[in-house]
Amino acid sequence: MKELKVASPAKLNLYLKVIGKLPKGFHKIVTIFERINLCDKIIFKLSADGKIHISSNQKDLPLDKRNLVFQAAQSLKNKYHIKQGVNIFIEKNIPVASGLGGGSSNAASTLLGLNRLWKLGLTQKQLLKYAQRLGADVAFFITKTRFAIGLNRGDKIISLKRKKKLIHILIIPKIKIYARDIYAKFDQLSLKLTKRGQDAKILSYILKNKDFSLSKNIIYNELEKVTLKAYPIVQRAKTRLEDLGLDFVLMSGKGPAIFAIIKARKEAISLFNKLDKNTIGRIYLVETY
C-alpha cells in the first residue's frame, strides 16, 4: 500500500465543565464528546526522499512543525526509525479554530493512517500515548467511539454507548477563537471552579445509562459565559438558533461553533431551510458519525 485516504471527523462538546487546574497551566475538565459527520479528508502517499511534506487546500494552515499532523508524523517516524517519507494532503472542511477539534482530529487520523501505511502494528493503547502528548482532544478521535466522556485535559477517554444518532444544525461564525485566549479570560474573570463532586451525579447517571437521554443537566458548557461576552457574533449565532424555538442550543468547546440538537430529521431539515445561509457564518446540517 503506497497511498491511503482517511476521513477526519469533527466533534461537538455536549457538556464541558472546568473543575480545577493542572500543572503547566492546563485546566482540568469534564466533557462529553460527540463525533459528527463534518469531516476533513487526509491523503497519505509514501515518498522516497525520507521527508514529511504537508500540503492543504486551506491557505492559512501552517504546514510545518506548528501543525499537529506534522508533529504526529514526526513522532512516529523518529520513534520507529522510518526511512520512508510521506506526502500528506489535508483537505479542510472543518473551519480552523472553530471549537470542533479539526486539528486534533487531523493529528489522530495521521497516527491511525501512518500506523497502517508504515505497517507499525501499534495498538490503540499505544497510539493513545502519542495522542495524549499532542493535544487534549486527540485521544478521543483515536478511540473511534461516537460518544465519550473526556477527563483530565479531555485526554482520558471513557467510551459511551448510545444507539440513536443526534441531529444538529451547526452555525460556525466567521471568526477564529483559540483555547489559550478563552482559558486566559476564564482565569482573569476569577470564575468559580466547580467542585468535582458536583459532576459525580451526572457522570454516574451517564455511565449507568449507556443510552443516555438529553437533559438541561447534560447540555452545558461553562466556557460559554466567557466566549459569548467576548465575541458578540457568537451570541448572535446562538440567539439565531434559540429564536427557532429549539430547547438545546450550545457552544462547542471554546467556540465559536454553536449547535442545536433536534429530535426529528424532518424538523431539522425544515428549520435548516428557514435559515439565511449568507449571514453570521457557515451553516451545516450534521449528525452523529
Side-chain angles (χ1 to χ4, degrees), residues 7-11 33 35 68 72 75-76 101 103-116 122-146 148 154-157 159:
S8 183
K11 58 81 179 170
F33 291 114
R35 185 187 302 258
L68 287 179
S75 63
L76 293 181
S104 296
S105 178
N106 293 168
S109 294
T110 298
L111 292 174
L112 292 165
L114 292 180
N115 186 40
R116 292 174 57 192
L122 300 175
T123 64
Q124 178 175 289
K125 186 177 180 180
Q126 289 174 304
L127 289 172
L128 279 171
K129 291 181 179 179
Y130 290 96
Q132 289 166 341
R133 294 174 198 147
L134 289 167
D137 297 339
V138 183
F140 168 64
F141 294 106
I142 290 291
T143 64
K144 293 187 176 182
T145 184
R146 285 179 166 180
D155 57 353
K156 181 180 179 183
I157 304 299
S159 295

Side-chain angles (χ1 to χ4, degrees), residues 147-284:
F147 298 92
I149 293 174
L151 302 174
N152 203 39
R153 292 171 57 203
D155 57 353
K156 181 180 179 183
I157 304 299
I158 302 172
S159 295
L160 297 172
K161 293 181 180 179
R162 178 184 165 87
K163 294 179 182 178
K164 296 180 181 178
K165 292 182 178 181
L166 298 178
I167 303 168
H168 308 283
I169 292 177
L170 174 65
I171 298 179
I172 309 174
K174 298 175 182 178
I175 56 170
K176 295 178 182 178
I177 297 178
Y178 295 94
R180 60 180 178 271
D181 297 329
I182 296 303
Y183 278 109
K185 292 179 187 294
F186 183 93
D187 292 337
Q188 288 169 5
L189 291 172
S190 299
L191 299 175
K192 293 181 180 179
L193 297 180
T194 305
K195 295 180 181 178
R196 184 184 302 175
Q198 290 178 276
D199 291 298
K201 290 183 179 180
I202 294 173
L203 294 177
S204 176
Y205 168 79
I206 295 171
L207 291 171
K208 288 179 181 178
N209 300 273
K210 296 293 188 179
D211 194 10
F212 63 92
S213 59
L214 301 172
S215 72
K216 288 294 184 181
N217 289 329
I218 298 298
I219 306 304
Y220 177 76
N221 185 343
E222 191 168 26
L223 297 180
E224 261 198 355
K225 62 188 77 175
V226 177
T227 304
L228 297 184
K229 183 178 180 180
Y231 300 93
I233 191 173
V234 183
Q235 177 64 71
R236 292 200 298 273
K238 184 172 185 181
T239 301
R240 182 69 58 85
L241 290 177
E242 290 174 335
D243 286 346
L244 295 175
L246 297 166
D247 293 327
F248 301 117
V249 179
L250 194 69
M251 183 180 79
S252 181
K254 42 64 183 172
I258 296 284
F259 66 94
I261 302 174
I262 304 166
K263 294 181 180 179
R265 184 180 299 278
K266 188 175 181 180
E267 179 189 7
I269 294 171
S270 176
L271 292 173
F272 177 77
N273 290 333
K274 290 179 181 179
L275 288 166
D276 184 348
K277 307 302 187 298
N278 297 314
T279 62
I280 293 184
R282 282 171 276 193
I283 303 177
Y284 303 86

